[in-house]
Amino acid sequence: MLHRLRRNADADGATEMSVFSMADFDGHEFVHAFFDRKTRLKGFVAVHSTALGPAFGGCRMWPYADDQGALRDALRLSLGMSLKNAMANLPYGGGKAVIIGDPRHDKTPELFEAFGRIIESLAGRYITAEDVGVDVDDMRAIERSTNYVGGIPQAEGYRGGDPSPRTALGVLQGLKAAVSARLGTDSLTGLTVAVQGAGSVGYELCKLLHEAGARLLVADINAENVARCVDELGATAVDPDGILVAEADVLAPCALGGVLNERTIPELKCSVVAGAANNQLATVADGDRLQARDILYAPDYVINAGGIISVAAERDPDADADRVRARIMAIGERTAEVLQASRRTGTPPHQVADELAREIIREAEAGQGSAAA
Ligand code: NAD
């Protein structure tokens, strides 16, 4: 267990930062800092809760500016996984791993095999899968060292493999529920959706939105990703600096977290925010800010659970393709319920979802307590 992190040292001695006093610490069960001398692999595994089952959540590889940024991301993302898995009725808790490195230059099979050994040492308390910067090939390398890994292609359909298309399918259901609640239509035909980030999930979402008749505005810092949406789907390219403020019915953040904040929210020109990115709200107060501007926010972890649903199905022998697809499609109904409760009570959607998810986790914790007694 990691209790204290050295921030930086100076002549007066070390300045230290306690994990427990970080704003993003939320009663996490443990944080594991890892380093592998041979491959220079380094990062964190954060496990927020195992009340509902082993912690299940992806591994992100990103060139974080410093260790604290990586740790903060691991804390936030693992909490998000607890809430996401609870809301999706999965028998898993929440955890996430972050590897500090640039996926464009630093990836090797040996590095991911070393990461697999780190996961194996956690003895099943954390199960990993893909996230930003990490793909199916990396999962195959991890699998050489541990079985606590998902996102490995299976023989058929909706089960396992790259979770991105399934995440996109779930996001589409949540987005439609939000459009229905805010704009009063069940059709996306003719609506404009601004997509920030056309990577694994964003591109799949663009394909589904295009099929549904939506007009696409797309931005990505990687020009090739924008080009394929323009060429294949007739999307309009937008500068990455302009996408959040584009005139659109729906904004779909599908890049990184924290994009909805004190600075950006006053500038938004959409009626609905519904996208795949984890941790879109920089702070809880930003959910209130969106509500104050009458912008309907479909909580990220409620609508982006399709990937973890399909990856979790790899470990469920009863999960045939139809059942997994039905679980993903149910995201639409679940989103509608959250939005209805929000409208009924005046409580912002992010708060409604947080309360529901935390209640599920609390009940499981209470059950654990009585089982142990
Ligand atoms: P990805 O790395 O494949 O795609 C992210 C894309 O965003 C990249 O193309 C990148 O160039 C682009 N990007 C980064 N910063 C940007 C910016 N400022 N403006 C515009 N574009 C920018 O990752 P992904 O797997 O598609 O995941 C996207 C988001 O969805 C992440 O927040 C991830 O945590 C979340 N998510 C993914 C899954 C999944 O199944 N992959 C599941 C749930 C949630």
Side-chain angles (χ1 to χ4, degrees), residues 45-262:
V45 174
V47 166
H48 175 258
S49 167
T50 56
L52 290 166
F56 207 155
C59 165
R60 176 170 295 191
M61 186 169 190
W62 192 253
Y64 293 98
D66 55 35
D67 300 357
Q68 292 162 60
L71 176 58
R72 202 177 312 121
D73 215 19
L75 291 174
R76 279 173 61 86
L77 290 165
S78 58
L79 164 62
M81 288 310 302
S82 281
L83 303 176
K84 185 186 308 193
N85 291 341
M87 282 300 272
N89 294 318
L90 292 171
Y92 292 105
K96 202 95 178 186
V98 299
I99 294 176
I100 303 169
D102 190 332
R104 287 170 303 177
H105 313 297
D106 301 336
K107 280 194 193 184
T108 61
E110 293 74 25
L111 181 127
F112 284 100
E113 284 167 19
F115 179 59
R117 288 193 292 278
I118 306 284
I119 296 174
E120 183 66 15
S121 75
L122 300 175
R125 284 187 294 166
Y126 168 67
I127 308 168
T128 200
E130 293 91 344
D131 192 63
V132 175
V134 176
D135 59 24
V136 169
D137 287 344
D138 305 325
M139 292 302 122
R140 291 192 201 278
I142 293 169
E143 197 187 23
R144 291 199 278 276
S145 307
T146 184
N147 286 326
Y148 299 120
V149 54
I152 310 277
Q154 310 287 304
E156 40 77 14
Y158 279 88
R159 220 165 111 164
D162 176 9
S164 308
R166 267 72 83 175
T167 300
L169 180 63
V171 169
L172 181 75
Q173 309 318 310
L175 185 152
K176 282 166 127 177
V179 163
S180 171
R182 177 68 178 77
L183 301 173
T185 171
D186 291 332
S187 166
L188 298 182
T189 305
L191 294 190
T192 301
V193 183
V195 180
Q196 182 194 40
S200 308
V201 182
Y203 173 58
E204 295 294 334
L205 180 63
C206 284
K207 287 201 275 189
L208 297 173
L209 289 167
H210 177 66
E211 276 168 31
R215 204 169 75 83
L216 294 169
L217 306 178
V218 175
D220 197 296
I221 51 173
N222 178 341
E224 281 174 24
N225 286 354
V226 178
R228 66 177 169 175
C229 293
V230 171
D231 296 345
E232 296 171 22
L233 310 171
T236 302
V238 174
D239 191 83
D241 290 338
I243 192 75
L244 294 176
V245 297
E247 296 273 0
D249 299 292
V250 181
L251 170 66
C254 296
L256 295 180
V259 293
L260 305 172
N261 55 48
E262 208 174 355

